[in-house]
Amino acid sequence: MSDNPEQSGPRPPQEPTLDEQIAAYQREYRDLDPQVEKVVSALGRLNRRMNVAYGRQLADLGISNAEWEVLKTLVLAGTPYRLGPGELAKRLGLTPAAMTHRIDRMAGEGLVTRDRDESNRVRVIVELTDEGRSKWLEAMRMATDFEEELLQDLTGEERTGLGDMLIRLLRRVEHTQPDAGGRLTDLD
């Protein structure tokens, strides 16, 4: 069996291996650096496959990726896990209208509450419910299991090195594309 999972593992129908993809690209674009293309193409495929896996886990919990993003943002805000809809929209890179739609849906599912701020009756506060926090915790447990399995063949030193390298790449993109953290369009 090959040590290269890209060559031996299952692939979606009609998807070329990375080597086949790179060879085709080089045929059409001779200035292509195959080392660079292998790294970015592998990262792209890994990202897509991880997103599918996470999406399946969230679906098993009865929540969407869009809802997960809100739960995560509220948890990251810290206790008492509440933010205004405008701040949520800003942190998620969404329009206020898309955020309102998402909050409406989540409030109906019991994942968040939306109430008037007692100190400023004009202001609305979105707060994580016990049900929402429970869903977040279960999603984290499932993701942790998946991620441990994903990285099981790497030593602690390799994990550290890979993490450091990916952070360097992330910093480069953040430096050259500072607005790339938001959404180009709403996902709802």
Side-chain angles (χ1 to χ4, degrees), residues 32-136:
L32 182 80
D33 182 331
Q35 288 178 314
V36 170
E37 190 59 36
K38 189 170 196 172
V39 170
V40 296
S41 292
L43 285 171
R45 286 187 185 194
L46 178 61
N47 182 54
R48 281 193 312 277
R49 285 166 174 79
M50 288 178 70
N51 284 336
V52 167
Y54 292 136
R56 288 178 178 148
Q57 290 174 344
L58 293 173
D60 288 346
L61 293 173
I63 60 175
S64 69
N65 187 57
E67 291 168 332
W68 161 254
E69 292 287 332
V70 173
L71 298 177
K72 177 178 71 173
T73 302
L74 289 169
V75 168
L76 289 172
T79 56
Y81 311 121
R82 58 168 89 155
L83 290 169
E87 183 61 24
L88 269 170
K90 181 179 171 186
R91 290 183 186 197
L92 291 172
L94 297 172
T95 63
M99 192 74 255
T100 297
H101 175 70
R102 198 173 290 185
I103 292 167
D104 287 346
R105 189 173 62 233
M106 293 180 72
E109 295 170 359
L111 301 172
V112 299
T113 59
R114 178 182 39 215
D115 294 307
R116 294 276 173 210
D117 184 344
E118 291 301 320
S119 64
N120 178 352
R121 299 293 296 159
V122 174
R123 186 168 184 248
V124 172
I125 297 292
V126 178
E127 186 171 347
L128 189 64
T129 63
D130 289 343
E131 175 69 12
R133 189 163 194 289
S134 176
K135 294 274 186 181
W136 179 83

Side-chain angles (χ1 to χ4, degrees), residues 12 23 30 49 150 156 167 179 187:
R30 299 217 183 270
R49 285 166 174 79
L150 177 68
I167 293 295
D179 61 341
L187 302 177

